[in-house]
Amino acid sequence: MEEMGVIAMGINDFLRSGNDRLDRHLLFTAEIDRMTEVLRQTLLINGSRRENDAEHSWHIAVMALYFSEYASEKVDIGRAVQMCIVHDIVEIEAGDTFAYDPQGNKNKAEREKEAADILLAKLPEDQGNMIRELWEEFDAMETADAKYAACLDRIQPFLHNTLTEGHTWGNGRVSREAVEKRMKIVREFMPEVYKWINANLDNAVAKGWLTS
Amino acid sequence: MEEMGVIAMGINDFLRSGNDRLDRHLLFTAEIDRMTEVLRQTLLINGSRRENDAEHSWHIAVMALYFSEYASEKVDIGRAVQMCIVHDIVEIEAGDTFAYDPQGNKNKAEREKEAADILLAKLPEDQGNMIRELWEEFDAMETADAKYAACLDRIQPFLHNTLTEGHTWGNGRVSREAVEKRMKIVREFMPEVYKWINANLDNAVAKGWLTS
């Protein structure tokens, strides 16, 4: 076996169980390990490398356990955590779209819908639908749980940016206005957290990490 | 800023919010990003590198959404998912202990208890206690939710091993008996999945990935 960088093995070694549902569960589990290959623009806080979608999803799921006191509507934490862990799962097929890329965001909805069709068809239908509903609810940002998960999905990379010299913003030459637009849901749903966001926006402009 | 491998930035740039609880929430969020630095023995399924604790925790949390039909007791999926995302969080302080390392497992409980004291004291007390309770419940493996999470914590690396030529087992020269012992909870709590485990144990011995 080659140690690094080459797929020297894999799915050909999969032994079928004789139970079709179980095979689907096991193969889907193998499939979603590719979430670790979907890189985001955001750096890890130690600055060593870009974070991946699995890490990001885990991170906001943990945040969901202790940020609910700032939410302006009552949140079901158990549901919000489930939403956090699957909110980016279609990116296994669709890839990550940088939040501040206007071109990439134009056809994002369509690309992700097709990706969901491909990915979630690998699960038994009832469970594919269940994950699709969580993902669609997240994306629509209408329910309290979805707004909560959406806020965490914005606060986490914002925090990373404030601790990595605005890495993502500088790379994209992002404006304060663009970040404010992205953070609108936090301003509306978590006003106490937005005060801290706003102070950091001032700081980021002063430091030249964001254009004013 | 240096791009790779060096912490050129970080927590010194943190702006306090003026709200002590919020500062604790934000700093704890930054702290647990170190979960991405805790490497496990298990390889990613593509064989490219070892997986880290954030990736592993995310992976079993997603599994929790669709494996409950094999559980021999009724499971609360929302709670089980919460348990999955924090079940290894004390390893940020304690490090990962290889499942098949008898020495490392001797004082594991003590090391992890101290680690929990250090890590979770960074959160407001009510929330540190909430995460500690989830983690202790997982570790005690007595409730249905904890047994469920424990099964997923064993099935996921087992699946990875079957798809990476028994990587972890070969490195440690592990015996079939040791893996059977580790998989005991799956045999008891998810007998249908254990049939597939057992067929893979036969296969792993036949291929020389496990000693018989």
Side-chain angles (χ1 to χ4, degrees):
Chain A
M1 172 193 134
E2 296 184 54
E3 194 67 21
M4 298 294 294
V6 179
I7 302 180
M9 56 203 72
I11 219 69
N12 291 336
D13 281 322
F14 181 73
L15 290 190
R16 296 203 170 264
S17 68
N19 172 337
D20 180 59
R21 275 184 75 93
L22 178 55
D23 285 343
R24 282 173 171 255
H25 291 140
L26 292 164
L27 288 169
F28 185 78
T29 302
E31 178 81 9
I32 62 173
D33 198 45
R34 291 165 53 210
M35 194 79 163
T36 61
E37 298 168 25
V38 183
L39 296 185
R40 293 164 50 81
Q41 296 296 324
T42 313
L43 290 185
L44 297 180
I45 290 174
N46 68 17
S48 63
R49 61 171 170 82
R50 289 162 67 186
E51 67 174 354
N52 66 51
D53 264 358
E55 295 165 333
H56 161 70
S57 301
W58 171 80
H59 207 170
I60 71 168
V62 185
M63 290 170 73
L65 299 180
Y66 53 78
F67 266 91
S68 64
E69 67 201 68
Y70 307 109
S72 57
E73 295 171 52
K74 181 148 178 53
V75 168
D76 178 337
I77 290 181
R79 283 197 80 244
V81 170
Q82 292 177 59
M83 214 175 277
C84 287
I85 60 164
V86 299
H87 80 290
D88 274 344
I89 203 164
V90 301
E91 295 183 0
I92 289 172
E93 291 296 331
D96 179 54
T97 306
F98 182 38
Y100 303 110
D101 167 14
Q103 281 310 111
N105 279 281
K106 268 186 190 158
N107 61 351
K108 179 171 182 257
E110 194 184 330
R111 281 188 293 113
E112 292 197 341
K113 198 196 155 305
E114 285 169 19
D117 290 341
I118 294 169
L119 181 71
L120 299 177
K122 295 175 184 180
L123 272 180
E125 194 176 356
D126 54 329
Q127 295 172 318
N129 288 342
M130 179 263 295
I131 291 181
R132 179 185 280 271
E133 281 161 23
L134 281 169
W135 169 65
E136 287 180 344
E137 182 179 337
F138 170 81
D139 234 36
M141 243 175 26
E142 285 166 3
T143 65
D145 297 343
K147 289 177 194 170
Y148 183 54
C151 284
L152 303 175
D153 185 42
R154 283 149 183 79
I155 295 166
Q156 184 259 358
F158 187 92
L159 176 65
H160 281 233
N161 268 328
T162 65
L163 300 180
T164 56
E165 300 180 348
H167 175 82
T168 303
W169 303 324
N171 278 359
R173 302 184 178 281
V174 172
S175 70
R176 175 181 185 141
E177 192 185 351
V179 181
E180 280 176 350
K181 193 174 162 195
R182 176 103 184 126
M183 293 293 151
K184 185 165 169 277
I185 184 68
V186 184
R187 196 177 70 219
E188 292 167 0
F189 196 72
M190 293 192 171
E192 177 72 10
V193 179
Y194 194 78
K195 287 187 219 163
W196 175 82
I197 298 271
N198 198 51
N200 277 278
L201 289 172
D202 292 343
N203 185 55
V205 170
K207 291 210 164 150
W209 300 342
L210 280 177
T211 62
S212 60
Chain B
M1 173 194 133
E2 295 184 54
E3 194 67 20
M4 297 294 295
V6 179
I7 302 180
M9 57 200 71
I11 220 68
N12 291 336
D13 282 321
F14 181 73
L15 291 190
R16 296 203 171 263
S17 68
N19 172 337
D20 179 60
R21 275 185 75 93
L22 178 54
D23 285 344
R24 282 173 171 254
H25 292 139
L26 291 164
L27 288 168
F28 185 77
T29 302
E31 177 82 10
I32 62 173
D33 198 45
R34 290 166 52 209
M35 193 80 163
T36 61
E37 298 168 24
V38 183
L39 296 186
R40 294 166 48 81
Q41 297 296 324
T42 313
L43 290 186
L44 296 180
I45 290 175
N46 68 17
S48 63
R49 60 172 171 82
R50 289 161 67 186
E51 68 174 353
N52 65 53
D53 264 357
E55 296 165 332
H56 161 71
S57 300
W58 171 80
H59 207 170
I60 71 167
V62 184
M63 291 170 72
L65 299 181
Y66 53 79
F67 266 91
S68 65
E69 67 200 68
Y70 308 108
S72 58
E73 295 171 52
K74 179 147 178 52
V75 168
D76 178 337
I77 291 182
R79 282 198 78 244
V81 170
Q82 292 176 59
M83 215 176 276
C84 287
I85 61 166
V86 300
H87 79 290
D88 273 344
I89 202 163
V90 303
E91 294 182 1
I92 290 172
E93 291 295 332
D96 180 55
T97 307
F98 184 38
Y100 303 109
D101 167 16
Q103 281 309 111
N105 279 282
K106 267 187 189 158
N107 61 351
K108 179 171 182 258
E110 193 184 332
R111 281 187 295 112
E112 292 199 340
K113 196 193 156 306
E114 285 169 19
D117 291 341
I118 295 169
L119 181 71
L120 299 176
K122 295 175 184 181
L123 271 181
E125 195 176 355
D126 54 330
Q127 294 171 320
N129 288 343
M130 179 263 294
I131 292 181
R132 179 184 280 271
E133 282 162 22
L134 281 170
W135 169 65
E136 286 178 347
E137 183 179 336
F138 170 82
D139 233 37
M141 243 174 28
E142 285 166 4
T143 65
D145 298 343
K147 289 178 194 168
Y148 184 52
C151 284
L152 303 176
D153 186 42
R154 283 150 182 79
I155 295 166
Q156 184 260 357
F158 187 91
L159 175 65
H160 281 232
N161 267 329
T162 64
L163 301 179
T164 55
E165 299 180 349
H167 176 82
T168 303
W169 303 325
N171 277 359
R173 301 182 179 280
V174 172
S175 70
R176 175 182 185 138
E177 191 185 353
V179 181
E180 280 176 349
K181 193 173 162 196
R182 176 99 184 128
M183 294 291 151
K184 183 166 170 275
I185 184 69
V186 183
R187 196 177 70 221
E188 292 167 359
F189 195 72
M190 293 193 171
E192 176 71 11
V193 179
Y194 194 79
K195 287 188 219 163
W196 174 83
I197 299 271
N198 199 50
N200 276 278
L201 289 172
D202 292 343
N203 186 55
V205 170
K207 291 209 162 148
W209 301 341
L210 279 177
T211 63
S212 59

